Structure formats: C-alpha cells, structure tokens
Amino acid sequence: MSWDKRGRENELVTWKDVMEVERYVYTAGPDGEKFLRGLREGKILGRKCPRCGRVYVPPRMYCEDCFVENGEYVEVKEAYLDSFTTIYYDNADRRLDQPITVGLVRFKGASGGLLAIVQGIPEIGKKVEIVEYGIPLRVRT
Amino acid sequence: MKTNLKFRRVAAIGAGMTPFRRRMLETPQEMAWEASRRALDEAGLELRDIDCVVIGSAPDAFDGVHMKGEYLAHGAGGVMRPSSRVYVGGATGVMTAIAGWYHVASGMCKKVLAVAEEKMSTGRPHPQAVFRYIWDPITEKPLNPNLIWIFAMEMHRYMFVNKVSKEEIALVSVKNKRNAASNPYAQLGGEITVDDVLRSEVLVWPVQLLDVSPVSDGAAAMVFVDGDIARRYTDTPIWVEGVGWTLDNTSWPNRELAYPRYLENAARMAYRMAGIERPQKEIDVVEPYDPFDYKELHHLEGLMLAKRGEAPLLLKEGFFDKDGDIPSSPSGGLLGVGNPIAAAGLMKVISIYWQLKGTAGKMQVKRPVHTGVAQAWGDLMQASTVMVMRN
C-alpha cells in the first residue's frame, strides 16, 4: 500500500537524502561556441552538409545521415513558427500570472530549429521577427 | 571443449577512438561521432552500410544528460535504425563489444557499429560524486563512502592475503604508464619509477595518486560484421571467439575481496566458447581492466593467467611486460591511456584487435600474437565482461 493512502508517513522508518552532483559544467563544443558567438552578433548560424546539402540549425559538426564532417557555416533567415503552445501552469503546479507562449521556430531551407518565447498573436506557419538573439530566443509575430 | 551453441561467426573489421583527455571541448555527441567515423573509415564502410547500432555508456550522471543512449544516437549513427544501449557499470565498454557481437551472432544484423562514450569532466567538483548513491542507503550511505574507499579495502585485503607489498603493486603503474608513452591516444604516458608511486600523495591508504587511473573524456567505436562477408572488406578480419559476463552480488560485504570470483566465472564462460583449456599457455596478449594498479594483478589472477597471489611475482619477472610471455595492457591501460569509463573498456577490446591485426604501431608487442583477451569490470566490484579474439 502506498504511503499517501495510509497517510501516516511518520510511522514508517525512512531515510531521507538527496541525489546530485554539486553542479555541471557543460561544454558547448566547437560548433556550439560558433553558434553562441553568432547569437551575440545577431545571427542565427547553421552548418551545411557538403554531401546532401542539409543545413543543421543549430550548427552541428557532422551530418547524421551522411556521417561526414559538415562544411560551411551559413546564416539562416526567414524564421517561421512551426508549432506553439501556451503555458498556464509552471513546473511546480502554480498558476502563472501571465501565460507564456513558447514556439518551435524553424528557418526556411534549414533542418532543425530553436525553441523561442513568442510575443504577439501566434499562428502556425506565420513568419516571425527575432527580437532578442539569446537563449531563450525571443520572437514577435 | 566447445559448446554446442549455434551462432554465426563474427569478425571485427574496424576500430576508432578519440584521444583520451582530461577535459575535451567537444560535446559527448561530437566525440561519439569522431570515434564512429574513424571506425567506419578503418572498416571501409559508410553509415548506410550499418544495420544496427549499439551504444555503451556508464551512468547518465557523468555526462549530466538523461537517456544518454538516445542522446548519443545521432553522433553514433543510431538514427533510423535499430539502436540499443548497454550499461553494466564500469564493465560497459567490453559489454558494448559483446552486444555488438550478439547482434551479429544471432543472425539479426550483418554489420554493427558499437560505440562507447563517456565525458567525465562535466560533473563538478569530481565525478566521484556520481557514486554517492550506489551504496546501501541505511548501513553505508551515512558514512558518505566513495569507490576509492572500497577499493582501498579490497587492495589492502589482496595485499594481506597474498603477502604483496606496495612496491610490487607499483610496478603495474610503472609498466602501464611506460606502455602508454607509445600510444598516441594516451593521456598519461611516461617514464616513472616505483619510488614516484610510493612518494605520490596518499588519497585513501593504501591507494596513492599514482595507483589510480585519471579522470578522462573520450569515445571509442568498433565495427563487427558477419563472418561470411568479413573478407569482402578486409584480408585480416579478427574473430570474436568467446564472450563471457557475470554479475556478482551487489552487496559487496558479502563477497571475498582478495579474489575476483565474478571474473573467474566470466572468463570460464568465454574460454569455454573459445575452446581455451589452459589460458596461460594459449593466450598471447591480454588487456585486463586496470583502473587501479592492484586491480590489474587481481584481474590477471581472475583471468587465470596467474595462480592466486602469483601475479606480482610474474610481473616482477617481466612475464607481463611488452616483450614478455603474455604482454599485459600493451596499450598502457586505464592507468596510462585514461579512464572515460565505457570508452576505456572498449579501448581495451580495440587494443587487442589492433594487436592481433598487427596494426598497433609503436604499441605492437614483440612476440607474434594469435589469441588475445580484453576484460572490463565495474561498479561495486560485481560485474565483469570478457572477450576472446583470434586472428
């Protein structure tokens, strides 16, 4: 029987503990760094597979299909909303004062995309304007 | 003696690695790709030729990404094909090769890419913190033990039961770091002396700094193919002749510390499959798992390449040197090459593969070799994996 059904946790002999490393330091990798530097210059970078021409956004070192090293970095433009959702509750189950709209932003001619905070009235397929180059990205419809 | 198991013959035809380093700039996925690409290049294959992918990685908590198998998949060539992840603690690396073997041996796939990766530098202050929760939460965890404590006790017990000195054990570190000096992928190769080991900082008595392998990032990959098609790609396929693995009791206080029973079982399984009856006479080169120097001796005994307690004597006589009777850890082992957990285990298999193929370069042992054994071991001393290969 589960604890919460019996409702008498203090009668059980339990051992409380936490499970975590103090902190993690992730490396962005060579392509990740290039991408982050691009954001600082107000650019969204992608990287193109020399064999199949697929453009990865964010840029990736290798093509997952051709399995060769990707080639040139290209600036991608023409951002559009592939899908979106509106969030009313946070992860701790508290109702937000202002709902947040989050969208998957893709770029014409590129594969992949970026999560972004969406301002304005969202619509699937609609072009968006990038208002803040950062993580998270902010876009306006 | 051979078992009457029916399986297809399996050959290794390619291998690749990234260098093992303390902190790599590349992401885990990028490292997996580098190793996989090199393995495919050596095999003369492209990713489209691969039927199945096996990914090996130790705890998710090292890289700090959950579902690490899936996370690594696009770097390991696992997208849109049958992919699976194996995980048996520190024994994962050789298990990755074993899983690659049974994908082919079963007849399910013709060509398999097996990839192992670990990025140990992500978790701070030290990846050892990841092991905080492998203990019994009530009787052990409150003392906040780490793995080095337990291995220190195992080492002490091994020294006591077999009357082995610290000096004798330090010779492993000296040998492996010397071997690693000829390994282009190695992190900590070099000439050291027994005195250097004995004068290094005491971490957890009797374990000192130079008794332990370093913390590393790295990836390794191998290509296994069906025996019937191996010669289309290479004139020198290396055959997987035996595999074995054992899981002992995770309650470590219930086990004998001075002798690795888990390994003897795994080795017997692999030897039986390979038809090996007298391991010490029939095996030419070995890569035992050596995260600590005493552990190589411990494992050489478990692999039955030395009698119980005799590995230190044989080592002193040069039996396990690069030009000895059975060169042990000619790559430099974990002590010399580095220890990105899963990748380190697969590196052991790759080392044997290169030795048997004769392409180990400066690492190549002097005597001609025909039968080699790679072994890994993991976690609370309970899991061990063994692979026997022949040329």
Side-chain angles (χ1 to χ4, degrees), chain B residues 172-357:
Chain B
V172 175
S173 203
V174 172
K175 167 179 75 68
N176 288 8
K177 286 182 196 296
R178 185 195 304 132
N179 288 351
S182 0
N183 186 338
Y185 298 97
Q187 179 180 348
L188 273 187
E191 288 291 337
I192 59 165
T193 62
V194 169
D195 261 5
D196 292 334
V197 180
L198 298 183
R199 269 194 253 126
S200 66
E201 204 176 336
V202 177
L203 303 179
V204 182
W205 183 258
V207 175
Q208 289 172 269
L209 188 64
L210 290 177
D211 290 315
V212 199
S213 56
V215 176
S216 328
D217 295 350
M222 287 185 85
V223 177
F224 294 99
V225 301
D226 189 295
D228 287 354
I229 59 169
R231 287 190 197 276
R232 283 184 208 168
Y233 305 103
T234 177
D235 293 332
T236 51
I238 301 304
W239 302 98
V240 179
E241 300 263 306
V243 297
W245 65 100
T246 303
L247 189 70
D248 198 348
N249 196 335
T250 44
S251 260
W252 66 273
N254 291 357
R255 290 200 301 271
E256 162 62 58
L257 299 183
Y259 183 74
R261 190 182 62 162
Y262 53 86
L263 174 54
E264 189 184 318
N265 277 14
R268 283 189 188 282
M269 177 177 164
Y271 293 165
R272 193 178 312 127
M273 199 183 285
I276 292 174
E277 289 173 346
R278 296 168 305 161
Q280 209 198 40
K281 296 263 183 281
E282 296 175 45
I283 289 164
D284 303 316
V285 57
V286 61
E287 281 280 355
Y289 206 62
D290 61 327
F292 294 76
D293 45 11
Y294 82 96
K295 213 61 213 182
E296 175 156 328
L297 301 168
H298 207 235
H299 284 153
L300 286 166
E301 293 171 16
L303 283 165
M304 295 167 279
L305 295 175
K307 291 193 186 123
R308 286 193 192 198
E310 274 188 7
L313 286 173
L314 290 175
L315 176 74
K316 222 187 308 182
E317 290 167 4
F319 189 85
F320 296 120
D321 284 353
K322 205 163 146 187
D323 52 3
D325 291 46
I326 305 181
S328 176
S329 294
S331 64
L334 278 53
L335 288 165
V337 192
N339 189 6
I341 311 289
L346 195 57
M347 176 275 284
K348 289 263 169 195
V349 183
I350 292 176
S351 166
I352 293 298
Y353 163 75
W354 282 337
Q355 289 291 343
L356 295 174
K357 209 174 172 74

